[in-house]
mmCIF file of all heavy atoms in Angstrom:
data_model
loop_
_atom_site.group_PDB
_atom_site.id
_atom_site.type_symbol
_atom_site.label_atom_id
_atom_site.label_comp_id
_atom_site.label_asym_id
_atom_site.label_seq_id
_atom_site.Cartn_x
_atom_site.Cartn_y
_atom_site.Cartn_z
ATOM 1 N N SER A 1 69.957 120.886 191.667
ATOM 2 C CA SER A 1 68.969 121.916 191.997
ATOM 3 C C SER A 1 67.939 122.060 190.892
ATOM 4 O O SER A 1 67.610 123.164 190.453
ATOM 5 C CB SER A 1 69.665 123.255 192.264
ATOM 6 O OG SER A 1 70.583 123.148 193.332
ATOM 7 N N LEU A 2 67.428 120.943 190.461
ATOM 8 C CA LEU A 2 66.502 120.946 189.339
ATOM 9 C C LEU A 2 65.205 121.669 189.675
ATOM 10 O O LEU A 2 64.715 121.613 190.810
ATOM 11 C CB LEU A 2 66.207 119.516 188.905
ATOM 12 C CG LEU A 2 67.328 118.857 188.099
ATOM 13 C CD1 LEU A 2 67.165 117.341 188.082
ATOM 14 C CD2 LEU A 2 67.349 119.407 186.676
ATOM 15 N N LYS A 3 64.685 122.334 188.673
ATOM 16 C CA LYS A 3 63.451 123.092 188.787
ATOM 17 C C LYS A 3 62.414 122.537 187.824
ATOM 18 O O LYS A 3 62.767 121.943 186.812
ATOM 19 C CB LYS A 3 63.703 124.569 188.459
ATOM 20 C CG LYS A 3 64.795 125.228 189.273
ATOM 21 C CD LYS A 3 65.062 126.637 188.767
ATOM 22 C CE LYS A 3 66.165 127.309 189.549
ATOM 23 N NZ LYS A 3 66.441 128.684 189.033
ATOM 24 N N PRO A 4 61.150 122.743 188.117
ATOM 25 C CA PRO A 4 60.124 122.280 187.175
ATOM 26 C C PRO A 4 60.328 122.812 185.759
ATOM 27 O O PRO A 4 60.023 122.106 184.793
ATOM 28 C CB PRO A 4 58.823 122.801 187.790
ATOM 29 C CG PRO A 4 59.104 122.834 189.253
ATOM 30 C CD PRO A 4 60.551 123.258 189.362
ATOM 31 N N GLU A 5 60.838 124.017 185.626
ATOM 32 C CA GLU A 5 61.066 124.578 184.307
ATOM 33 C C GLU A 5 62.204 123.907 183.553
ATOM 34 O O GLU A 5 62.418 124.189 182.370
ATOM 35 C CB GLU A 5 61.317 126.096 184.393
ATOM 36 C CG GLU A 5 62.348 126.489 185.431
ATOM 37 C CD GLU A 5 61.717 126.918 186.745
ATOM 38 O OE1 GLU A 5 60.789 126.228 187.208
ATOM 39 O OE2 GLU A 5 62.145 127.949 187.310
ATOM 40 N N ASP A 6 62.940 123.025 184.206
ATOM 41 C CA ASP A 6 63.947 122.234 183.519
ATOM 42 C C ASP A 6 63.338 121.044 182.783
ATOM 43 O O ASP A 6 64.045 120.357 182.046
ATOM 44 C CB ASP A 6 64.996 121.717 184.502
ATOM 45 C CG ASP A 6 65.828 122.830 185.119
ATOM 46 O OD1 ASP A 6 66.219 123.762 184.384
ATOM 47 O OD2 ASP A 6 66.096 122.762 186.330
ATOM 48 N N THR A 7 62.072 120.795 183.009
ATOM 49 C CA THR A 7 61.401 119.687 182.352
ATOM 50 C C THR A 7 61.454 119.859 180.843
ATOM 51 O O THR A 7 61.040 120.885 180.308
ATOM 52 C CB THR A 7 59.946 119.588 182.816
ATOM 53 O OG1 THR A 7 59.914 119.280 184.213
ATOM 54 C CG2 THR A 7 59.199 118.503 182.054
ATOM 55 N N ALA A 8 61.962 118.848 180.157
ATOM 56 C CA ALA A 8 62.118 118.914 178.713
ATOM 57 C C ALA A 8 62.665 117.588 178.212
ATOM 58 O O ALA A 8 63.074 116.730 178.997
ATOM 59 C CB ALA A 8 63.067 120.051 178.317
ATOM 60 N N VAL A 9 62.668 117.447 176.908
ATOM 61 C CA VAL A 9 63.396 116.367 176.274
ATOM 62 C C VAL A 9 64.809 116.857 176.027
ATOM 63 O O VAL A 9 65.016 117.872 175.359
ATOM 64 C CB VAL A 9 62.737 115.925 174.955
ATOM 65 C CG1 VAL A 9 63.603 114.880 174.254
ATOM 66 C CG2 VAL A 9 61.348 115.365 175.212
ATOM 67 N N TYR A 10 65.756 116.151 176.573
ATOM 68 C CA TYR A 10 67.161 116.509 176.430
ATOM 69 C C TYR A 10 67.795 115.637 175.367
ATOM 70 O O TYR A 10 67.675 114.407 175.401
ATOM 71 C CB TYR A 10 67.897 116.336 177.757
ATOM 72 C CG TYR A 10 67.569 117.401 178.772
ATOM 73 C CD1 TYR A 10 66.317 117.452 179.373
ATOM 74 C CD2 TYR A 10 68.507 118.372 179.119
ATOM 75 C CE1 TYR A 10 66.004 118.445 180.286
ATOM 76 C CE2 TYR A 10 68.209 119.360 180.038
ATOM 77 C CZ TYR A 10 66.953 119.393 180.621
ATOM 78 O OH TYR A 10 66.654 120.377 181.539
ATOM 79 N N SER A 11 68.481 116.272 174.423
ATOM 80 C CA SER A 11 69.075 115.563 173.304
ATOM 81 C C SER A 11 70.571 115.804 173.253
ATOM 82 O O SER A 11 71.031 116.939 173.399
ATOM 83 C CB SER A 11 68.454 116.010 171.977
ATOM 84 O OG SER A 11 67.062 115.752 171.954
ATOM 85 N N CYS A 12 71.295 114.745 173.028
ATOM 86 C CA CYS A 12 72.734 114.824 172.881
ATOM 87 C C CYS A 12 73.075 115.206 171.451
ATOM 88 O O CYS A 12 72.421 114.775 170.502
ATOM 89 C CB CYS A 12 73.356 113.482 173.242
ATOM 90 S SG CYS A 12 75.151 113.411 173.092
ATOM 91 N N ASN A 13 74.103 115.997 171.314
ATOM 92 C CA ASN A 13 74.552 116.471 170.016
ATOM 93 C C ASN A 13 76.049 116.262 169.897
ATOM 94 O O ASN A 13 76.795 116.456 170.859
ATOM 95 C CB ASN A 13 74.203 117.954 169.851
ATOM 96 C CG ASN A 13 74.869 118.601 168.650
ATOM 97 O OD1 ASN A 13 76.023 119.025 168.733
ATOM 98 N ND2 ASN A 13 74.140 118.681 167.547
ATOM 99 N N ALA A 14 76.472 115.864 168.718
ATOM 100 C CA ALA A 14 77.896 115.726 168.441
ATOM 101 C C ALA A 14 78.200 116.312 167.081
ATOM 102 O O ALA A 14 77.483 116.051 166.109
ATOM 103 C CB ALA A 14 78.325 114.264 168.497
ATOM 104 N N GLU A 15 79.231 117.101 167.019
ATOM 105 C CA GLU A 15 79.695 117.675 165.764
ATOM 106 C C GLU A 15 81.068 117.110 165.481
ATOM 107 O O GLU A 15 81.935 117.114 166.355
ATOM 108 C CB GLU A 15 79.745 119.197 165.843
ATOM 109 C CG GLU A 15 80.062 119.893 164.531
ATOM 110 C CD GLU A 15 81.560 120.034 164.292
ATOM 111 O OE1 GLU A 15 82.309 120.240 165.268
ATOM 112 O OE2 GLU A 15 81.991 119.940 163.120
ATOM 113 N N GLY A 16 81.244 116.629 164.260
ATOM 114 C CA GLY A 16 82.505 116.007 163.930
ATOM 115 C C GLY A 16 82.963 116.293 162.521
ATOM 116 O O GLY A 16 82.246 116.890 161.712
ATOM 117 N N THR A 17 84.158 115.859 162.252
ATOM 118 C CA THR A 17 84.776 116.001 160.944
ATOM 119 C C THR A 17 85.214 114.634 160.459
ATOM 120 O O THR A 17 85.886 113.899 161.184
ATOM 121 C CB THR A 17 85.990 116.940 161.008
ATOM 122 O OG1 THR A 17 85.598 118.207 161.540
ATOM 123 C CG2 THR A 17 86.587 117.137 159.626
ATOM 124 N N SER A 18 84.821 114.285 159.257
ATOM 125 C CA SER A 18 85.199 112.999 158.699
ATOM 126 C C SER A 18 86.664 113.015 158.305
ATOM 127 O O SER A 18 87.306 114.064 158.235
ATOM 128 C CB SER A 18 84.337 112.660 157.487
ATOM 129 O OG SER A 18 84.740 113.414 156.359
ATOM 130 N N ILE A 19 87.168 111.839 158.019
ATOM 131 C CA ILE A 19 88.555 111.746 157.595
ATOM 132 C C ILE A 19 88.770 112.410 156.247
ATOM 133 O O ILE A 19 89.916 112.654 155.849
ATOM 134 C CB ILE A 19 89.022 110.278 157.544
ATOM 135 C CG1 ILE A 19 88.159 109.470 156.574
ATOM 136 C CG2 ILE A 19 89.002 109.679 158.941
ATOM 137 C CD1 ILE A 19 88.625 108.038 156.407
ATOM 138 N N PHE A 20 87.689 112.716 155.554
ATOM 139 C CA PHE A 20 87.775 113.403 154.269
ATOM 140 C C PHE A 20 87.575 114.911 154.403
ATOM 141 O O PHE A 20 87.615 115.622 153.401
ATOM 142 C CB PHE A 20 86.742 112.831 153.293
ATOM 143 C CG PHE A 20 86.852 111.350 153.127
ATOM 144 C CD1 PHE A 20 85.886 110.505 153.650
ATOM 145 C CD2 PHE A 20 87.924 110.791 152.461
ATOM 146 C CE1 PHE A 20 85.981 109.137 153.508
ATOM 147 C CE2 PHE A 20 88.040 109.420 152.316
ATOM 148 C CZ PHE A 20 87.064 108.592 152.841
ATOM 149 N N GLY A 21 87.338 115.373 155.598
ATOM 150 C CA GLY A 21 87.226 116.794 155.852
ATOM 151 C C GLY A 21 85.824 117.357 155.908
ATOM 152 O O GLY A 21 85.659 118.559 156.139
ATOM 153 N N SER A 22 84.816 116.552 155.696
ATOM 154 C CA SER A 22 83.449 117.035 155.738
ATOM 155 C C SER A 22 82.932 117.083 157.169
ATOM 156 O O SER A 22 83.251 116.217 157.982
ATOM 157 C CB SER A 22 82.539 116.157 154.883
ATOM 158 O OG SER A 22 82.543 114.820 155.353
ATOM 159 N N ARG A 23 82.134 118.078 157.460
ATOM 160 C CA ARG A 23 81.575 118.243 158.793
ATOM 161 C C ARG A 23 80.144 117.738 158.850
ATOM 162 O O ARG A 23 79.361 117.932 157.925
ATOM 163 C CB ARG A 23 81.625 119.698 159.219
ATOM 164 C CG ARG A 23 83.044 120.222 159.401
ATOM 165 C CD ARG A 23 83.058 121.513 160.163
ATOM 166 N NE ARG A 23 84.415 121.933 160.461
ATOM 167 C CZ ARG A 23 84.746 122.866 161.343
ATOM 168 N NH1 ARG A 23 83.791 123.492 162.014
ATOM 169 N NH2 ARG A 23 86.004 123.178 161.547
ATOM 170 N N ARG A 24 79.818 117.105 159.946
ATOM 171 C CA ARG A 24 78.486 116.567 160.157
ATOM 172 C C ARG A 24 78.056 116.807 161.590
ATOM 173 O O ARG A 24 78.890 116.902 162.493
ATOM 174 C CB ARG A 24 78.450 115.062 159.873
ATOM 175 C CG ARG A 24 78.790 114.682 158.443
ATOM 176 C CD ARG A 24 77.633 114.982 157.505
ATOM 177 N NE ARG A 24 77.866 114.431 156.179
ATOM 178 C CZ ARG A 24 78.538 115.035 155.219
ATOM 179 N NH1 ARG A 24 79.047 116.248 155.441
ATOM 180 N NH2 ARG A 24 78.700 114.454 154.041
ATOM 181 N N THR A 25 76.768 116.901 161.770
ATOM 182 C CA THR A 25 76.176 117.025 163.097
ATOM 183 C C THR A 25 75.218 115.863 163.315
ATOM 184 O O THR A 25 74.411 115.544 162.444
ATOM 185 C CB THR A 25 75.438 118.357 163.256
ATOM 186 O OG1 THR A 25 76.360 119.432 163.068
ATOM 187 C CG2 THR A 25 74.822 118.463 164.644
ATOM 188 N N TYR A 26 75.303 115.260 164.483
ATOM 189 C CA TYR A 26 74.484 114.103 164.802
ATOM 190 C C TYR A 26 73.727 114.348 166.094
ATOM 191 O O TYR A 26 74.173 115.103 166.960
ATOM 192 C CB TYR A 26 75.346 112.849 164.933
ATOM 193 C CG TYR A 26 76.074 112.498 163.659
ATOM 194 C CD1 TYR A 26 77.343 112.982 163.410
ATOM 195 C CD2 TYR A 26 75.466 111.692 162.694
ATOM 196 C CE1 TYR A 26 78.010 112.676 162.236
ATOM 197 C CE2 TYR A 26 76.126 111.384 161.520
ATOM 198 C CZ TYR A 26 77.393 111.875 161.298
ATOM 199 O OH TYR A 26 78.043 111.567 160.125
ATOM 200 N N TRP A 27 72.594 113.679 166.201
ATOM 201 C CA TRP A 27 71.724 113.824 167.360
ATOM 202 C C TRP A 27 71.380 112.471 167.950
ATOM 203 O O TRP A 27 71.190 111.483 167.234
ATOM 204 C CB TRP A 27 70.424 114.526 166.970
ATOM 205 C CG TRP A 27 70.621 115.945 166.554
ATOM 206 C CD1 TRP A 27 70.852 116.409 165.302
ATOM 207 C CD2 TRP A 27 70.602 117.086 167.418
ATOM 208 N NE1 TRP A 27 70.988 117.775 165.317
ATOM 209 C CE2 TRP A 27 70.833 118.219 166.594
ATOM 210 C CE3 TRP A 27 70.405 117.266 168.786
ATOM 211 C CZ2 TRP A 27 70.881 119.517 167.111
ATOM 212 C CZ3 TRP A 27 70.453 118.552 169.292
ATOM 213 C CH2 TRP A 27 70.683 119.657 168.457
ATOM 214 N N GLY A 28 71.285 112.457 169.255
ATOM 215 C CA GLY A 28 70.773 111.290 169.932
ATOM 216 C C GLY A 28 69.259 111.249 169.861
ATOM 217 O O GLY A 28 68.614 112.150 169.313
ATOM 218 N N GLN A 29 68.697 110.207 170.414
ATOM 219 C CA GLN A 29 67.253 110.010 170.326
ATOM 220 C C GLN A 29 66.471 110.896 171.290
ATOM 221 O O GLN A 29 65.261 111.062 171.121
ATOM 222 C CB GLN A 29 66.913 108.537 170.592
ATOM 223 C CG GLN A 29 66.964 108.117 172.060
ATOM 224 C CD GLN A 29 68.365 107.897 172.595
ATOM 225 O OE1 GLN A 29 69.360 108.083 171.901
ATOM 226 N NE2 GLN A 29 68.452 107.488 173.859
ATOM 227 N N GLY A 30 67.127 111.452 172.266
ATOM 228 C CA GLY A 30 66.477 112.272 173.265
ATOM 229 C C GLY A 30 66.054 111.473 174.479
ATOM 230 O O GLY A 30 65.661 110.316 174.368
ATOM 231 N N THR A 31 66.132 112.106 175.630
ATOM 232 C CA THR A 31 65.708 111.464 176.864
ATOM 233 C C THR A 31 64.884 112.457 177.676
ATOM 234 O O THR A 31 65.230 113.633 177.775
ATOM 235 C CB THR A 31 66.923 110.953 177.671
ATOM 236 O OG1 THR A 31 66.478 110.254 178.829
ATOM 237 C CG2 THR A 31 67.842 112.091 178.084
ATOM 238 N N GLN A 32 63.801 111.984 178.221
ATOM 239 C CA GLN A 32 62.872 112.848 178.941
ATOM 240 C C GLN A 32 63.355 113.100 180.363
ATOM 241 O O GLN A 32 63.676 112.166 181.101
ATOM 242 C CB GLN A 32 61.475 112.226 178.978
ATOM 243 C CG GLN A 32 60.443 113.034 179.762
ATOM 244 C CD GLN A 32 60.047 114.314 179.067
ATOM 245 O OE1 GLN A 32 59.787 114.306 177.863
ATOM 246 N NE2 GLN A 32 60.010 115.420 179.815
ATOM 247 N N VAL A 33 63.380 114.356 180.732
ATOM 248 C CA VAL A 33 63.642 114.762 182.105
ATOM 249 C C VAL A 33 62.407 115.492 182.607
ATOM 250 O O VAL A 33 61.977 116.483 182.015
ATOM 251 C CB VAL A 33 64.872 115.674 182.216
ATOM 252 C CG1 VAL A 33 65.000 116.241 183.628
ATOM 253 C CG2 VAL A 33 66.131 114.912 181.831
ATOM 254 N N THR A 34 61.841 114.991 183.684
ATOM 255 C CA THR A 34 60.655 115.593 184.266
ATOM 256 C C THR A 34 60.931 115.941 185.720
ATOM 257 O O THR A 34 61.351 115.081 186.497
ATOM 258 C CB THR A 34 59.453 114.645 184.178
ATOM 259 O OG1 THR A 34 59.202 114.296 182.810
ATOM 260 C CG2 THR A 34 58.207 115.304 184.757
ATOM 261 N N VAL A 35 60.696 117.188 186.064
ATOM 262 C CA VAL A 35 60.928 117.670 187.419
ATOM 263 C C VAL A 35 59.589 118.084 188.008
ATOM 264 O O VAL A 35 58.925 118.994 187.497
ATOM 265 C CB VAL A 35 61.905 118.848 187.450
ATOM 266 C CG1 VAL A 35 62.196 119.258 188.886
ATOM 267 C CG2 VAL A 35 63.195 118.486 186.724
ATOM 268 N N SER A 36 59.197 117.431 189.057
ATOM 269 C CA SER A 36 57.925 117.721 189.688
ATOM 270 C C SER A 36 58.094 118.782 190.772
ATOM 271 O O SER A 36 59.143 118.875 191.419
ATOM 272 C CB SER A 36 57.319 116.450 190.288
ATOM 273 O OG SER A 36 58.158 115.913 191.296
ATOM 274 N N SER A 37 57.060 119.571 190.978
ATOM 275 C CA SER A 37 57.101 120.624 191.979
ATOM 276 C C SER A 37 56.718 120.108 193.344
ATOM 277 O O SER A 37 56.225 118.990 193.498
ATOM 278 C CB SER A 37 56.186 121.772 191.569
ATOM 279 O OG SER A 37 54.853 121.325 191.452
#
């Protein structure tokens, strides 16, 4: 039920913990979603 207002660049995000206990956040390159009226 996509709406024109859903138009945006959508980016994937992952939050993880290394084997040493440090936390990191990573991002994908983004993908364009365009919804026409």
Side-chain angles (χ1 to χ4, degrees):
S1 301
L2 284 162
K3 305 174 181 179
E5 49 263 45
D6 294 318
T7 296
V9 175
Y10 286 70
S11 300
C12 179
N13 169 276
E15 187 273 325
T17 304
S18 76
I19 59 176
F20 305 109
S22 60
R23 294 195 174 195
R24 298 284 189 274
T25 300
Y26 299 91
W27 294 91
Q29 77 282 2
T31 184
Q32 178 71 46
V33 172
T34 302
V35 184
S36 62
S37 60

